[in-house]
Amino acid sequence: MSKPVAVIGSGPTGAVAAQVLIEQGISVVMLESGDRLPHGVMVRAMGRTIFRKKPALDPRGAALSVGRNPEIEWWVHLDPGGLSNQWTGGVPRFSPEDFTEGEQLDPCYRWPVDYAELVPFYERVERILEVSGGRTDIATAPRGDFRYHSDLPRAWQGVDKVARARGQALIPAPIAHGAPWMAAWRGTAFNSFLQLVVPLLNSPDFQLHTGAHVLRLEYDATKQRVKSVLYQDRATGEQHRIEVGGVVVACGALNSTKLLFDSACPDFPEGLGNSDGVLGRYLHDHPHEWCTLELSKPIARLPNSIYLTRRPFGSPALLAAGLTLGAASPKEQILASLPLPSRALGVQVMGSMIPTLDNFALPDSNKKDPFGSPQLRVCMDYDKDIRANMNLARKNLQEILSAAGYDNKIVHEPNFLRPGSSVHYGGTVRMHHSREFGMLDGWNRLHTVPNVLVTDISCFTTCPEKRPTLTAMALSWRAAERLALDLKRGTCV
């Protein structure tokens, strides 16, 4: 009997990889560090989310060593399903140039996969997510394969006309809302554990271990492959070893990075697969801010979010921002079900940053985590260009609104501009054709240990301004299919 693939983590990318592997006839053992079942409440009616209660995020302060910037945050959700217990469901596709634009700055910013290669995987993921979105295809925000469609409210079409004259557009935000009418005992419309992992429990080829904290991947120097996974049972403290044919690491952007560091061995003393010193480098996230605008005259409330696409890339390349517009408060969200206009507008600015070697997550030789391994020392700053880009995006929106007849002012100042607050860390196990610039090849495999894949957001080469989950799931689906093929051919063992 062939050895199983260990999938580490039951968040969106781990769950989709497990599903694909099972469908391809590959045995899977899933190791999930959390052990509490997902919980919460979500109620939708007439295509609107009218009530939502979700569990709190967990701070990882005890496992985080801060360098340079004391405001750095690291948030996780240690339950099956990971951060799909928390997310808002935003699932835009990356645009074709998001994969290539960075090459203008340096070859290290060119992805080893392009938009056309991801299209069929985008479509498959969108179908299982039951995405709602608009009908318009925008170059910087391609239309997806949406289950449900929505249109821009008529009152906002004049604002959209002004935006399009400036190379942007207002569109209904692509969101994994689920069915228009729904009541569920979970805090999000889509939870990867409940909707992808639980159905796999009926398969004889699938095993699930919760409360299983993976300590390290064990490398066989003779075969140049990982041969086993060592994990600790959180409840008993006992350690267990599983022999594997392959591994899919999907335990979160920084947790995946840490696991590779913790898996150092004589052949890779600086972390598994880290032959060129790239592991932990090029850390990036989404700078984001919330603010409230007061308009000079009322406009129709937004029952669901709309999205102002980014401006065309300028100089330097890779700096962009998208803006999500919606209710300014929970009260405004409730009132959105009534045909009453409002002068209050909630605005979230989601920016990008250029990944550099100076932003990183590396082991701290002086501090240990609860399992005896080094904590991560996380260093990240937002430089003046990033902050200027955020200010420009916000001012650009204000100019668009004014040109459409809605003079405005900020009444609640922007906040949240702290590294890590968007919970979108990525890049520290990045993809690239060259080992000089990346840990992973174009199929998410470690260049030097090809039976190990990393498929969460840590694999991202650059940081487009769009929310990352859809692209991460599409990459994971694609990588899992290739892993199954490699295993069947015997090229990965």
Side-chain angles (χ1 to χ4, degrees):
M1 186 169 119
S2 61
K3 297 173 184 176
V5 170
V7 175
I8 304 172
S10 62
T13 60
V16 78
Q19 176 181 278
V20 170
L21 289 167
I22 292 294
E23 290 174 350
Q24 295 294 321
I26 305 296
S27 297
V28 170
V29 55
M30 175 172 280
L31 301 171
E32 164 57 51
S33 187
D35 56 7
R36 300 174 299 177
L37 287 178
H39 57 285
V41 179
M42 187 170 205
V43 179
R44 286 177 53 77
M46 298 182 293
R48 300 169 180 174
T49 301
I50 60 175
F51 182 77
R52 182 184 182 196
K53 183 179 180 181
K54 58 183 182 178
L57 275 171
D58 304 320
R60 281 299 299 272
L64 172 67
S65 172
V66 174
R68 291 203 311 256
N69 189 339
E71 293 187 337
I72 277 185
E73 300 176 356
W74 179 13
W75 297 89
V76 298
H77 191 101
L78 194 61
D79 284 345
L83 288 170
S84 71
N85 289 277
Q86 294 287 337
W87 70 324
T88 58
V91 284
R93 294 185 180 190
F94 286 6
S95 69
E97 64 182 349
D98 287 332
F99 297 93
T100 60
E101 181 72 19
E103 195 171 20
Q104 295 182 20
L105 290 179
D106 192 280
C108 74
Y109 298 124
R110 175 65 187 252
W111 287 66
V113 60
D114 61 28
Y115 177 78
E117 292 174 88
L118 278 190
V119 166
F121 302 98
Y122 274 142
E123 292 172 347
R124 296 173 198 176
V125 175
E126 285 162 343
R127 289 169 194 152
I128 64 174
L129 291 176
E130 295 189 317
V131 182
S132 302
R135 307 172 196 272
T136 307
D137 196 34
I138 306 296
T140 55
R143 183 182 63 194
D145 187 352
F146 299 145
R147 172 75 177 273
Y148 306 102
H149 291 90
S150 53
D151 297 304
L152 191 68
R154 181 173 298 179
W156 284 86
Q157 291 176 6
V159 183
D160 177 49
K161 183 177 180 179
V162 174
R164 288 175 185 266
R166 300 165 69 108
Q168 296 173 266
L170 273 179
I171 60 174
I175 298 179
H177 272 319
W181 295 84
M182 180 180 68
W185 293 106
R186 56 182 185 267
T188 56
F190 176 85
N191 180 286
S192 62
F193 181 77
L194 296 176
Q195 286 150 281
L196 295 183
V197 176
V198 169
L200 296 179
L201 295 173
N202 295 319
S203 169
D205 295 324
F206 181 74
Q207 298 179 54
L208 171 67
H209 298 282
T210 58
H213 179 82
V214 176
L215 298 172
R216 63 178 176 270
L217 311 181
E218 298 181 321
Y219 180 72
D220 185 331
T222 302
K223 295 183 178 180
Q224 298 183 331
R225 300 290 189 271
V226 161
K227 61 180 180 180
S228 56
V229 175
L230 182 70
Y231 74 90
Q232 180 168 317
D233 188 308
R234 283 181 172 273
T236 67
E238 296 178 352
Q239 294 186 3
H240 304 272
R241 180 174 284 105
I242 299 176
E243 293 189 356
V244 298
V247 182
V248 176
V249 180
C251 46
L254 295 187
N255 284 319
S256 291
T257 309
K258 187 177 186 307
L259 177 58
L260 295 183
F261 278 124
D262 292 345
S263 302
C265 59
D267 281 25
F268 298 104
E270 302 301 320
L272 183 67
N274 190 22
S275 57
D276 292 78
V278 183
L279 181 62
R281 299 289 180 174
Y282 298 101
L283 175 66
H284 58 68
D285 79 340
H286 279 141
H288 87 300
E289 292 180 330
W290 283 92
C291 68
T292 300
L293 297 183
E294 182 181 288
L295 308 182
S296 59
K297 60 182 182 180
I299 191 170
R301 286 186 173 91
L302 295 168
N304 292 304
S305 299
I306 58 175
Y307 184 72
L308 178 63
T309 61
R310 66 166 172 81
R311 302 174 69 184
F313 277 128
S315 180
L318 293 183
L319 281 183
L323 295 92
T324 303
L325 315 183
S329 67
K331 177 182 176 181
E332 286 285 315
Q333 179 67 43
I334 294 172
L335 292 174
S337 61
L338 302 175
L340 299 173
S342 174
R343 294 172 59 195
L345 180 64
V347 178
Q348 179 182 210
V349 184
M350 186 81 77
S352 63
M353 59 188 296
I354 300 172
T356 67
L357 294 170
D358 293 333
N359 291 319
F360 57 79
L362 300 175
D364 189 318
S365 59
N366 298 316
K367 298 181 180 180
K368 302 292 184 181
D369 69 12
F371 299 92
S373 298
Q375 290 185 4
L376 278 184
R377 181 169 180 262
V378 180
C379 289
M380 174 180 282
D381 289 314
Y382 293 153
D383 62 24
K384 60 181 178 58
D385 289 336
I386 291 172
R387 294 176 182 274
N389 178 55
M390 299 290 285
N391 291 333
L392 179 61
R394 189 174 60 254
K395 291 177 180 177
N396 180 58
L397 168 65
Q398 291 185 268
E399 291 174 2
I400 289 172
L401 289 167
S402 293
Y406 297 92
D407 289 334
N408 57 88
K409 62 180 180 180
I410 296 175
V411 291
H412 290 147
E413 289 295 324
N415 55 25
F416 292 122
L417 191 60
R418 297 186 300 275
S421 63
S422 64
V423 202
H424 287 172
Y425 279 134
T428 46
V429 196
R430 69 201 305 260
M431 305 172 71
H432 200 277
H433 282 306
S434 168
R435 284 169 39 182
E436 179 185 359
F437 300 124
M439 291 285 294
L440 309 172
D441 67 11
W443 297 97
N444 291 78
R445 303 173 296 200
L446 287 175
H447 281 293
T448 50
V449 191
N451 74 329
V452 176
L453 281 62
V454 181
T455 65
D456 55 42
I457 301 167
S458 63
C459 78
F460 281 20
T461 310
T462 59
C463 172
E465 81 286 353
K466 303 171 183 74
R467 286 169 171 79
T469 304
L470 180 71
T471 296
M473 291 180 74
L475 286 168
S476 190
W477 194 311
R478 176 177 177 270
E481 282 196 355
R482 178 56 186 262
L483 175 60
L485 181 62
D486 289 342
L487 290 169
K488 291 174 181 178
R489 289 174 174 173
T491 58
C492 202
V493 294

